[in-house]
Amino acid sequence: MASYVDEVGIGDFVLLDEITTESFLVNLQKRFSGGKIYSYIGEVCISVNPYRTVNIYGQEYVNQYKGREIFERPPHLFAIGDAAYKTMKRRGKDTCIVISGESGSGKTEASKILMRYLAAVTNISGQQEIERVKNVLLQSNAILEAFGNAKTNRNDNSSRFGKYMDIHFDFKGDPLGGQISNYLLEKSRVIMQQSGERNFHSFYQLLLGCPDPELSKFQLTRDPNHYHYVRQGGVSKVDSISDRADYKSVQSAFKTMGFPQDAIDTIWRVVAAVLHLGNVDFKTDGDRTQIKDTTTLTKVATLLNIEKEALNKALSHRVIAAGGEVLHKGHTSSEAIYGRDAFAKAIYDRLFTWIVDQVNKAIQVSGSEGGKTINSTVIGVLDIYGFEIFDRNSFEQFCINYCNEKLQQLFIELVLKQEQEEYQREGIKWQNIDYFNNQVICNLVEESHRGILSILDEACLNVGKVTDNMVLDSMDQKLRGHLHYSSRKLNPSDKELKHGEEFRIKHYAGDVIYCINGFLDKNKDTLFQDFKRVLYSSSNAYLKEMWPEGAQNIYKTTKRPLTAGTLFKNSMILLVKNLTSKEPYYVRCIKPNDQKSPVLFDVERVTHQVNYLGLLENVRVRRAGFAYRQSYDRFLRRYKMISQYTWPNFHGGSDKEAVQILIKEQNLSQDVVYGKTKIFVSSPRTLFMLEQARAKLIPGIVIFLQKLWRGYICRQRYKRVVAVYRIMRYYRRYKMKAFVKELVTAFRNVKQMPDYGKRLRWPAPPPVLKQTTAMLKAIHERWRAWMILRVIPQSDWPQLRLKVAACDVLRGKRPDYGLWRKWEGDYLSLTSEHGAVQKYSTAINNMKNKEKFRKVAFSCLVRKINKHNKMADRAIVVTESAIYKLDQKSFKSMSGKIALQDISALTVSSGYDGLIVIHLQGGNDLVVSLLSSDLEDPRVGEAVGVICHNYRVNQRRDLRVVVSDNVQCMLGKKQRLIQVQALPNVSIVSFTKNPSGDLSYSCPLREPAGKGHNGIKSVKNGY
């Protein structure tokens, strides 16, 4: 059903309350103004040309209509395409889509949209060959439009031929190929155009889009006004058309279709030849007719690969074979021009037909010769000219309108047939429907002996000079009294008709006045045999192929060919027969105005189209009994929520019983009839009531479904989370066990290893055990340290800690720093250092009481240098929190204490001297040289170890220690450099000032001690 709550107007005209032309137009205009260009009459789609780009053909719209029923979504061409595709695929039945409407109503665009939709919903598996077939089918449009479309006063891209395409599908619904049939190309456009119109697009694409080298090869210029056949309409360029871009598109399409390059070249050579042929003019020299300018003739002959003399003779003479003799008859000037124009029309018509044949070869289904394969089904797409009424209507309009009469007859018959068959299937009594049967008009045109086409054919067979006026007289005589035919002779009071020139036919779409002039010539479609022989003699194989009848012997008397009217009638009969064998779907295209405006809705113009398309008749046929019908299962699925007995599910019986209960509960039983498989609703109002009741409940149902769905999603998410955590737990446990097993294996014999596992590689721990692994490593390091230290007496551990602190900052930087000896610490308390031990002990005890420190960690005699470059001997004492400078003799504190937190760094040299610089934050460093009674070790390593250890304990961070031969220091807030010199002839240390202002530190030359164990086990196996 095409009626939605949020729709503009009524989407399906079957649901109109009142079936009148006025109500139909009001609803159509309302939808057009609201941007709704598609509507339905049941399963017939009405398409109004929007004259603007509308964004309703993207992939998201394809997805919305793919696989859906027509009534499930708003009206759209995609729904028609999908319905035809589903019927073909599901039921294996051939279908067709008939697109009709007048020029400019959007038929060609509608056919391309349908083709693109069918391409979008097929080849889901992405097979390369199927994709190639789809691309070839789509590309064929560009070629056919170039050579068969033209700009008219009503449409910038008007199809000037009828096209029917069969698309073959395999059992999976994928396209296999296709077959195109063309009908009645408007050949007269090649030689003549009305004001404001153009010739076929191909001529302008060649002139305006072809590259310069190619154009020169064809001996053409860019100016279309230079050529007679394309300048008559006075329009060479159109704003909405880019001939240059279209030329490139056509060239690309040729290559995609597999046209050889020489074939493409031949096509454009023929188009160029027709352009030059229009410029061939004639002059009369006595009784002879000659060509004025043979240069143009030479160009034509060169392009067609024929002899110039043969072409000249064919244009100015005619060969007549009679009684075994051959006569040469010269043309008059008018006859020569007629022959030239007929030649040009025939060349282009044959070219177009040949192009269609080549396209068919490119898209032909494998294993078939133009027919249907055993295992394929078909969707036919008919894009054919609509009903035409011009100011001057000639033979072409007569044929086109006859075609529309045949299609309208088929349309009504098939719609009635479908309705009647459905009534019979459902067991509902059939009601006779009154409608206009246009069979009488079809008979007027095609009836044997009495039809207009038969009268024209009879005139063509007559010997002697027969004119169009004589044909009109014959028609007046034989059709006198016919209700749908009149002329001025039959109705003298009808001043609208010109006497002896015009006649009127009352078509189903309206009255049309035809001008008889030219009917006879166009029906004969005469082309002298001379032209056929000339073209058959061409050295171009493709041109020769286009004219096989040129091979006939010149003396052979040929049978008169069928007339153009008869050929067209026969093709229409075959077309109708073909369409009758398929299940049809219809697209009726409407042109809203002649100004190509996206907002203007010309009511009078649209009314005319609605009438001749028979749309109101269609609504009446569809509404004759019932406005709406639907199968019980689909009806129940749509409306079951409005009854408490059917929602959410009906458990009482069949779908039919459920529908009956639902209708009865809504008190609508009097307006419906129950068929075998469908329910039939008489009044649109009943359907609207059902829709309104459904629309009220939908929001609540949507919220309820959303609640259930959200609950389901949350439960599923919770289950997934629980499962994930469980998997994570088991996986974590597994990784932990695997890690522990690997760790146990790696460290199984660690106690027997020389390095107690120091060089063992720890396995990579899982994330959950990273912290635990760090703890295990720390435990292993402590255990390993214990295993190493257990051989060392615990009484020696304090000095071992100091040695470790010194080793951390001096290892690899200073060759010897006393690790090999025992570190005494408080050297000034030893009698071996000096003789004033008692005085020192008394002074230290007094300092302990005053300064509140526990013990002396290091003491030593030193020689210092001050900011005035003066040396002095002093003693230093290092406690747990400070450094004290003492007088060497009295051992009293001098200049206060140096707190450890005031120390910023230590600097020592890389040699065997006793120099040490204690950098202070105040900018006046303490520069001293330790004086040792042991000449082998200056005790620098011990002093550094004590200070660094106490600093770390006191400040909880490491003290920076610098080892360098060029020692930097600050004395009196001035940067000073101390150069260290170890000299063999020096016995005491000293500081001297250099001329540069820096200091030199001289000390005795010493060798590394290298002594062994002195109370502490030195190294065991590298430790």
Side-chain angles (χ1 to χ4, degrees):
M1 192 194 72
S3 181
Y4 294 84
V5 175
D6 59 344
E7 274 281 87
V8 177
I10 299 174
D12 192 338
F13 283 88
V14 174
L15 302 179
L16 287 173
D17 286 333
E18 184 181 3
I19 308 175
T20 62
T21 302
E22 183 180 358
S23 61
F24 189 99
L25 291 171
V26 167
N27 186 59
L28 189 64
Q29 184 174 8
K30 184 176 182 180
R31 289 182 61 77
F32 176 75
S33 301
K36 304 296 182 181
I37 63 172
Y38 296 120
S39 305
Y40 289 149
I41 301 175
E43 293 184 350
V44 176
C45 181
I46 302 173
S47 171
V48 182
N49 193 337
Y51 285 119
R52 60 185 172 88
T53 302
V54 286
N55 187 25
I56 57 173
Y57 305 110
Q59 186 60 43
E60 66 275 15
Y61 283 91
V62 172
N63 296 335
Q64 289 179 24
Y65 286 88
K66 182 180 178 181
R68 305 290 289 271
E69 300 297 332
I70 283 183
F71 61 85
E72 292 184 63
R73 300 295 305 160
H76 201 291
L77 268 181
F78 285 175
I80 300 300
D82 196 74
Y85 181 71
K86 286 202 304 286
T87 300
M88 179 274 299
K89 187 175 179 181
R90 292 176 181 175
R91 293 161 51 188
K93 186 173 183 179
D94 294 345
T95 61
C96 65
I97 303 173
V98 179
I99 306 171
S100 58
E102 73 169 46
S103 179
S105 60
K107 300 187 301 298
T108 301
E109 202 61 33
S111 68
K112 289 193 286 188
I113 291 169
L114 286 168
M115 290 283 290
R116 287 199 297 268
Y117 177 79
L118 293 175
V121 299
T122 54
N123 194 25
I124 306 302
S125 59
Q127 297 181 39
Q128 186 174 355
E129 174 60 20
I130 294 174
E131 199 64 31
R132 184 196 70 82
V133 171
K134 284 166 50 175
N135 194 30
V136 166
L137 288 171
L138 293 175
Q139 290 291 330
S140 65
N141 283 324
I143 298 174
L144 296 180
E145 284 187 19
F147 291 88
N149 288 26
K151 181 219 179 296
T152 66
N153 289 321
R154 295 187 175 185
N155 182 9
D156 289 347
N157 188 32
S158 176
S159 295
R160 306 319 298 162
F161 70 105
K163 180 180 71 174
Y164 176 77
M165 174 183 284
D166 269 335
I167 308 172
H168 295 259
F169 295 83
D170 62 12
F171 70 96
K172 302 187 302 299
D174 290 329
L176 298 173
Q179 177 75 18
I180 297 174
S181 301
N182 61 298
Y183 302 96
L184 192 65
L185 178 71
E186 189 186 21
K187 295 187 294 183
S188 60
R189 183 170 294 271
V190 174
I191 63 169
M192 181 179 63
Q193 308 91 44
Q194 295 183 24
S195 177
E197 297 190 353
R198 295 206 313 177
N199 209 322
F200 292 102
H201 293 325
S202 57
F203 294 105
Y204 305 93
Q205 290 175 7
L206 177 63
L207 291 174
L208 303 176
C210 179
D212 290 334
E214 293 290 310
L215 204 66
S216 299
K217 183 174 71 174
F218 299 140
Q219 303 181 63
L220 295 171
T221 62
R222 290 279 180 210
D223 185 10
N225 292 323
H226 184 69
Y227 303 98
H228 174 67
Y229 280 162
V230 293
R231 68 183 175 215
Q232 298 173 59
V235 179
S236 59
K237 293 184 179 180
V238 183
D239 293 338
S240 62
I241 297 175
S242 173
D243 293 302
R244 181 182 295 274
D246 289 344
Y247 175 82
K248 293 180 180 179
S249 299
V250 172
Q251 289 291 83
S252 175
F254 275 139
K255 294 177 182 177
T256 301
M257 302 287 289
F259 278 64
Q261 185 57 47
D262 56 345
I264 299 172
D265 185 63
T266 297
I267 291 170
W268 294 118
R269 289 173 71 91
V270 171
V271 174
V274 172
L275 286 170
H276 286 302
L277 188 60
N279 287 355
V280 173
D281 208 351
F282 302 92
K283 63 181 180 180
T284 302
D285 184 9
D287 294 335
R288 297 177 57 192
T289 299
Q290 296 178 339
I291 295 175
K292 285 184 179 180
D293 183 7
T294 58
T295 304
T296 305
L297 184 71
T298 303
K299 294 178 181 178
V300 177
T302 302
L303 291 169
L304 296 178
N305 298 107
I306 57 179
E307 294 293 334
K308 174 183 174 183
E309 292 303 322
L311 179 60
N312 187 4
K313 191 172 182 180
L315 286 170
S316 57
H317 295 78
R318 179 186 175 190
V319 175
I320 302 174
E325 296 183 2
V326 174
L327 302 177
H328 294 271
K329 179 181 179 297
H331 287 317
T332 63
S333 180
S334 59
E335 288 174 340
I337 293 173
Y338 174 85
R340 178 202 65 186
D341 291 345
F343 187 37
K345 291 190 294 182
I347 291 174
Y348 194 84
D349 182 57
R350 288 294 177 95
L351 174 66
F352 184 75
T353 303
W354 182 82
I355 289 174
V356 172
D357 289 341
Q358 301 310 305
V359 170
N360 282 333
K361 289 178 182 178
I363 63 177
Q364 180 176 306
V365 180
S366 300
S368 72
E369 294 296 332
K372 179 181 173 182
T373 60
I374 297 175
N375 296 320
S376 72
T377 48
V378 169
I379 293 180
V381 179
L382 177 64
D383 171 13
I384 204 160
Y385 15 62
F387 201 87
E388 291 187 349
I389 304 178
F390 296 147
D391 294 336
R392 179 182 176 87
N393 301 289
S394 188
F395 183 75
E396 289 85 1
Q397 284 68 47
F398 174 77
C399 291
I400 288 171
N401 293 341
Y402 161 64
C403 168
N404 279 269
E405 290 285 357
K406 294 291 289 183
L407 293 177
Q408 176 66 11
Q409 180 193 19
L410 175 67
F411 173 64
I412 295 297
E413 286 181 353
L414 289 178
V415 169
L416 285 172
K417 182 181 177 183
Q418 287 175 343
E419 288 287 302
Q420 190 170 12
E421 287 177 350
E422 186 172 38
Y423 277 48
Q424 290 174 351
R425 283 196 307 268
E426 297 297 326
I428 297 175
K429 184 179 179 181
W430 172 252
Q431 299 177 359
N432 288 325
I433 300 172
D434 294 329
Y435 67 95
F436 173 67
N437 189 342
N438 66 334
Q439 180 63 49
V440 62
I441 302 175
C442 295
N443 291 339
L444 172 65
V445 176
E446 66 185 11
E447 187 178 4
S448 298
H449 307 300
R450 283 179 48 83
I452 294 176
L453 289 177
S454 294
I455 297 172
L456 282 171
D457 287 352
E458 184 180 342
C460 292
L461 292 173
N462 289 339
V463 179
K465 187 171 180 64
V466 180
T467 63
D468 291 316
N469 289 338
M470 295 170 64
V471 173
L472 182 59
D473 288 339
S474 180
M475 289 166 55
D476 290 343
Q477 182 180 355
K478 293 186 177 182
L479 299 175
R480 182 186 299 271
H482 199 291
L483 297 178
H484 294 273
Y485 173 85
S486 65
S487 68
R488 184 68 178 274
K489 182 178 180 179
L490 299 178
N491 188 7
S493 61
D494 190 349
K495 306 297 183 182
E496 192 176 357
L497 296 173
K498 293 182 180 179
H499 186 77
E501 288 188 21
E502 296 178 343
F503 63 95
R504 179 189 290 113
I505 295 179
K506 294 183 178 180
H507 290 280
Y508 77 95
D511 294 357
V512 181
I513 298 175
Y514 298 99
C515 179
I516 195 65
N517 294 337
F519 262 60
L520 200 57
D521 284 340
K522 291 177 181 179
N523 188 48
K524 286 180 180 179
D525 196 20
T526 303
L527 180 67
F528 300 139
Q529 189 71 19
D530 308 69
F531 292 118
K532 299 176 184 179
R533 283 192 288 269
V534 167
L535 288 174
Y536 182 76
S537 67
S538 171
S539 59
N540 187 306
Y542 297 109
L543 274 170
K544 195 181 188 76
E545 180 186 341
M546 295 179 200
W547 297 90
E549 64 270 43
Q552 292 178 357
N553 191 299
I554 193 172
Y555 295 100
K556 183 178 179 181
T557 303
T558 58
K559 185 179 179 181
R560 185 185 295 270
L562 295 176
T563 61
T566 300
L567 288 172
F568 187 71
K569 180 183 73 171
N570 294 341
S571 65
M572 285 298 101
I573 293 172
L574 289 175
L575 175 63
V576 169
K577 183 179 179 181
N578 189 6
L579 295 177
T580 307
S581 66
K582 297 176 172 60
E583 183 161 331
Y585 292 86
Y586 294 93
V587 178
R588 302 301 212 188
C589 298
I590 290 179
K591 184 177 183 179
N593 57 77
D594 287 328
Q595 288 71 37
K596 302 172 187 176
S597 167
V599 295
L600 183 61
F601 189 88
D602 188 335
V603 175
E604 183 178 353
R605 191 81 179 78
V606 175
T607 301
H608 172 71
Q609 296 173 76
V610 168
N611 289 335
Y612 82 64
L613 286 172
L615 299 183
L616 210 60
E617 199 81 10
N618 187 197
V619 176
R620 290 195 181 101
V621 169
R622 186 73 179 177
R623 273 283 299 276
F626 303 96
Y628 176 74
R629 72 284 310 271
Q630 190 54 267
S631 60
Y632 291 120
D633 58 335
R634 289 176 178 168
F635 186 91
L636 184 61
R637 281 202 302 269
R638 186 168 183 85
Y639 299 112
K640 64 180 180 178
M641 70 287 298
I642 66 178
S643 172
Q644 58 180 332
Y645 301 108
T646 57
W647 179 259
N649 292 299
F650 179 70
H651 301 288
S654 65
D655 291 340
K656 182 177 181 179
E657 292 172 339
V659 171
Q660 289 174 336
I661 291 173
L662 187 152
I663 293 295
K664 185 176 180 181
E665 186 182 2
Q666 299 297 317
N667 297 320
L668 299 173
S669 301
Q670 72 284 356
D671 201 40
V672 302
V673 174
Y674 301 102
K676 294 178 182 179
T677 63
K678 291 183 178 181
I679 180 174
F680 290 76
V681 181
S682 299
S683 169
R685 194 168 300 279
T686 298
L687 197 59
F688 291 143
M689 291 172 61
L690 291 171
E691 281 294 314
Q692 289 172 357
R694 178 180 181 272
K696 289 179 182 179
L697 296 172
I698 285 296
I701 294 173
V702 169
I703 293 173
F704 176 71
L705 292 176
Q706 288 176 340
K707 180 181 71 174
L708 292 179
W709 180 246
R710 290 189 181 114
Y712 169 78
I713 291 175
C714 289
R715 287 190 294 274
Q716 293 300 113
R717 186 178 299 158
Y718 172 75
K719 289 179 181 179
R720 286 195 296 270
V721 170
V722 170
V724 166
Y725 276 107
R726 187 169 186 178
I727 293 170
M728 288 171 58
R729 185 169 65 252
Y730 279 94
Y731 183 72
R732 189 183 295 120
R733 189 179 301 171
Y734 160 76
K735 295 295 287 185
M736 290 167 60
K737 288 182 179 179
F739 175 73
V740 171
K741 286 181 180 179
E742 191 175 357
L743 199 62
V744 169
T745 301
F747 285 84
R748 178 167 294 155
N749 300 317
V750 69
K751 195 171 183 179
Q752 285 74 39
M753 295 179 183
D755 60 355
Y756 300 113
K758 178 184 178 182
R759 293 180 177 84
L760 280 178
R761 177 182 165 273
W762 284 68
V768 69
L769 289 179
K770 282 187 177 180
Q771 292 184 352
T772 305
T773 303
M775 293 172 59
L776 290 174
K777 287 182 179 180
I779 292 171
H780 175 255
E781 290 295 330
R782 292 178 67 86
W783 173 81
R784 202 173 134 269
W786 163 253
M787 292 299 290
I788 294 171
L789 295 175
R790 64 180 179 170
V791 298
I792 302 173
Q794 290 195 10
S795 60
D796 291 340
W797 285 15
Q799 69 168 302
L800 187 60
R801 291 191 182 93
L802 299 179
K803 289 185 177 182
V804 170
C807 186
D808 285 343
V809 296
L810 298 177
R811 181 173 53 190
K813 300 177 182 178
R814 188 176 173 99
D816 183 27
Y817 38 94
L819 293 179
W820 47 272
R821 66 175 182 82
K822 181 179 179 180
W823 288 1
E824 297 292 347
D826 190 4
Y827 289 98
L828 294 182
S829 65
L830 303 177
T831 55
S832 60
E833 290 292 316
H834 63 95
V837 174
Q838 185 64 39
K839 186 185 292 186
Y840 168 75
S841 297
T842 302
I844 288 301
N845 288 332
N846 292 335
M847 287 178 64
K848 282 183 180 179
N849 295 331
K850 183 179 179 181
E851 299 295 336
K852 306 299 182 182
F853 59 83
R854 291 192 303 274
K855 67 173 185 176
V856 175
F858 180 81
S859 64
C860 182
L861 295 175
V862 299
R863 182 162 293 154
K864 67 179 284 290
I865 184 76
N866 63 15
K867 60 184 178 180
H868 300 295
N869 303 318
K870 293 183 178 181
M871 292 188 298
D873 289 340
R874 299 284 187 266
I876 64 169
V877 173
V878 181
T879 68
E880 67 268 16
S881 60
I883 298 175
Y884 297 90
K885 288 187 296 182
L886 306 180
D887 182 74
Q888 185 183 21
K889 295 180 179 180
S890 63
F891 297 106
K892 291 183 179 180
S893 177
M894 301 178 66
S895 305
K897 65 180 179 180
I898 301 173
L900 292 181
Q901 61 263 30
D902 292 337
I903 300 175
S904 60
L906 297 178
T907 299
V908 298
S909 72
S910 61
Y912 301 105
D913 54 81
L915 179 64
I916 180 169
V917 178
I918 302 173
H919 299 281
L920 303 178
Q921 294 180 0
N924 193 27
D925 298 339
L926 178 61
V927 181
V928 299
S929 176
L930 304 183
L931 303 177
S932 170
S933 60
D934 185 359
L935 296 177
E936 293 184 351
D937 182 22
R939 301 172 184 164
V940 169
E942 185 175 357
V944 170
V946 170
I947 295 173
C948 287
H949 174 74
N950 289 350
Y951 187 88
R952 182 185 297 120
V953 172
N954 189 277
Q955 298 297 315
R956 298 187 181 279
R957 56 191 175 91
D958 293 332
L959 181 63
R960 186 169 66 92
V961 177
V962 179
V963 180
S964 174
D965 289 333
N966 296 320
V967 179
Q968 300 282 346
C969 68
M970 294 286 291
L971 291 174
K973 297 185 179 181
K974 293 183 180 180
Q975 186 78 26
R976 308 288 287 276
L977 177 66
I978 303 176
Q979 295 179 348
V980 179
Q981 296 177 338
L983 303 173
N985 56 350
V986 174
S987 58
I988 60 174
V989 297
S990 63
F991 293 95
T992 59
K993 181 180 179 183
N994 295 333
S996 62
D998 292 330
L999 299 175
S1000 292
Y1001 169 73
S1002 302
C1003 64
L1005 181 64
R1006 294 175 176 173
E1007 295 296 332
K1011 291 190 176 180
H1013 168 253
N1014 57 355
I1016 301 177
K1017 289 190 176 179
S1018 57
V1019 179
K1020 179 182 180 182
N1021 297 327
Y1023 295 90

